[in-house]
Amino acid sequence: METKAVKNAALQSYQLLRLVWNRALRYQVSLRAAHLTLATLLAAVPIITIVFGILRLTPAMVAMQDSLVAYVEAHLAPGSSSTVIPYLLSFSEQTKNLPAAGIATLILTALLLLNSFEGSVQAIWQIKQRRKIRERLLTYWAILTLGPIMLAVVMSLYGTLLSYQLTGNYIPSVLEGLFEFSSYVVYFLLLFTINFLTPNNEVKVKLTAISAMLGAIAIVLLNSVFANFAQFFASYQIVYGAFAALPIFLIWLQVSWLIILLTVSLNATLHKLDRYKEHSKLE
């Protein structure tokens, strides 16, 4: 009986993976990931400017900016973020000297990236009805706002844990284990937010959480691969010098977007299967 159950579970998993892969091929997920990678390069500075602008709204979050930057450098694009991110932050600081029209253009660039991502999500979900402009702007603002706030909260909790460790206070093993996987928690929350808010459809929390969980694991594995095989990129550094960080960052960005869109494809497939089950029960 157990062997049969394992075989059935393996068969169902294979069928699910095939459905997700067919959906990804049908809606050109790899091409959309490449498009979003290019759009991200254009929108990186505006998004960083908006995020840091949000963090400056409260004194508590301002104090966490340096810790947040260090956290991002440690967990995003291992092997290249320590070179690329300081440049992006420097460019972001220079936006303070822009006139109002320039700042409006930067904000528009960030919104265009989110609009492009939303278009990809709606296509993968096979949703033809687009949101009204007001609803889309509110969704974009929620994504831009919740993202940095969640990062700030994780950093705050992480700092609290560190202070407890330094003072020798007792910390429950569950909490300690959770903070050891802080990067996984951040990825999960970000993937869950964009998968839950972006589709213009009824989205279930459980199915979205499953998709976000698998996507978070994939991104953690991706970062682990980049961190462990950094020595293979040494030849790029010999030829390109500091510029070698850019192709590494681009590869990481492309694969990250591919993982994100695959989680969207998985989420859409799970919801479609769930609707079939409900329809069959009604019949």
Side-chain angles (χ1 to χ4, degrees), residues 17-231:
L17 287 174
R18 191 175 65 176
L19 288 172
V20 172
W21 183 250
N22 288 338
R23 182 183 289 266
L25 290 177
R26 188 183 309 124
Y27 298 105
Q28 300 178 314
V29 163
S30 59
L31 184 63
R32 293 180 186 277
H35 174 72
L36 288 169
T37 299
L38 177 60
T40 302
L41 291 178
L42 297 175
V45 172
I47 288 176
I48 290 174
T49 304
I50 293 171
V51 167
F52 275 83
I54 293 169
L55 292 179
R56 292 190 186 105
L57 293 177
T58 59
M61 289 187 178
V62 170
M64 282 189 274
Q65 284 189 23
D66 293 338
S67 300
L68 182 58
V69 171
Y71 184 88
V72 170
E73 287 182 356
H75 293 86
L76 295 182
S80 65
S81 59
S82 58
T83 303
V84 175
I85 290 177
Y87 279 107
L88 294 177
L89 293 175
S90 175
F91 298 151
S92 177
E93 286 294 321
Q94 295 175 19
T95 59
K96 295 178 181 178
N97 303 321
L98 287 175
I103 293 175
T105 303
L106 287 178
I107 294 174
L108 180 62
T109 306
L111 292 177
L112 286 175
L113 169 63
L114 293 174
N115 183 67
S116 178
F117 173 69
E118 187 198 13
S120 298
V121 172
Q122 310 304 350
I124 293 171
W125 272 74
Q126 297 176 284
I127 299 172
K128 296 181 180 180
Q129 185 178 1
R130 299 294 296 271
R131 285 190 178 95
K132 296 179 181 178
I133 294 179
R134 183 179 61 181
E135 293 176 352
R136 286 156 69 184
L137 288 175
L138 287 173
T139 303
Y140 300 161
W141 185 249
I143 292 172
L144 286 174
T145 306
L146 290 175
I149 287 176
M150 284 190 297
L151 284 172
V153 168
V154 170
M155 287 305 303
S156 177
L157 294 174
Y158 190 74
T160 303
L161 177 69
L162 258 147
S163 66
Y164 271 94
Q165 286 179 333
L166 291 174
T167 54
N169 291 328
Y170 170 75
I171 304 170
S173 57
V174 175
L175 281 178
E176 195 166 0
L178 179 63
F179 284 109
E180 286 179 2
F181 293 97
S182 57
S183 59
Y184 170 79
V185 174
V186 170
Y187 295 139
F188 171 78
L189 291 174
L190 291 175
L191 286 173
F192 180 84
T193 301
I194 60 178
N195 273 286
F196 189 76
L197 293 179
T198 310
N200 186 24
N201 203 341
E202 183 181 351
V203 182
K204 294 188 176 181
V205 173
K206 180 181 177 181
L207 300 180
T208 306
I210 292 172
S211 304
M213 180 184 66
L214 294 175
I217 293 172
I219 293 180
V220 168
L221 290 175
L222 170 67
N223 287 348
S224 178
V225 168
F226 267 72
N228 292 326
F229 292 92
Q231 64 269 21

